[in-house]
Amino acid sequence: MARLPDGDRRLLLACRFGHAWLPLLRHAVSIQAARAGLSGVRWDDFVLAVHEAAVNAVGHGGGRGELRLWRNGTMLCCQISDDGPGAEAGMPNGAHLPSLDGTEWRGLWLIRRLSDEIAITSGAEGTVLRVSFRLPG
C-alpha cells in the first residue's frame, strides 16, 4: 500500500476497507472533511469524490483498498490505493465525459470535475488516486 508523501504529517484518517466498509468509510471521511473546514457544496463534493474513488478501488482494484486523508497547509488531500492489477492500457484520464450509453469511467470523470487537483498512477502493483481540495480561508 502507498505511503503519504514526505512532508505530509497531518494525517487525519488512515484505514483499509472492502465493500462492506464503504458506508462507514464515507461517514468517517465526511466527519474529517467537516473538521478540516469544508462545508456546504465543497464538503459534499469532497465526500462524493472520495467515495467514488473508494468504490473504484473495490470494484476494479481487487476488492479492497487503503485510504489516507490528511491536511497539507491549505489543502485537504485524500489518497486511495489498491493492490489490483492496475488499469488497462487506454484508460481514459477522466478529462472527457464518457459515452452516455455506458457506465465505464463515469466515476473518474466525476472525481476530476469535483476536485481541485487529481493525480493517478497505475501499474502492476495497483492504482493510487489522490484528490486534493482547497480549504476555505
Side-chain angles (χ1 to χ4, degrees), residues 19-135:
H19 183 268
W21 291 95
L22 289 173
L24 291 172
L25 181 71
R26 185 176 180 133
H27 182 70
V29 167
S30 70
I31 290 169
Q32 292 303 324
R35 286 181 179 165
L38 290 180
S39 62
V41 172
R42 294 293 290 164
W43 174 81
D44 287 335
D45 289 350
F46 183 82
V47 173
L48 180 57
V50 170
H51 180 75
E52 285 292 326
V55 168
N56 283 347
V58 169
H60 302 291
R64 63 182 192 273
E66 182 176 350
L67 177 139
R68 297 242 188 256
L69 176 66
W70 70 97
R71 184 175 180 160
N72 186 11
T74 62
M75 301 293 279
L76 184 60
C77 307
C78 188
Q79 179 173 289
I80 303 284
S81 56
D82 65 56
D83 293 328
E88 64 263 12
M91 174 188 93
N93 65 6
H96 303 289
L97 179 64
S99 69
L100 297 176
D101 60 353
T103 59
E104 291 295 313
W105 306 113
R106 287 192 173 280
L108 183 57
W109 177 82
L110 181 61
I111 293 165
R112 188 170 295 282
R113 291 293 159 270
L114 297 174
S115 304
D116 292 321
E117 296 176 11
I118 181 175
I120 304 168
T121 57
S122 190
E125 296 83 35
T127 299
V128 178
L129 185 143
R130 182 179 302 166
V131 297
S132 301
F133 279 62
R134 284 181 200 82
L135 293 167

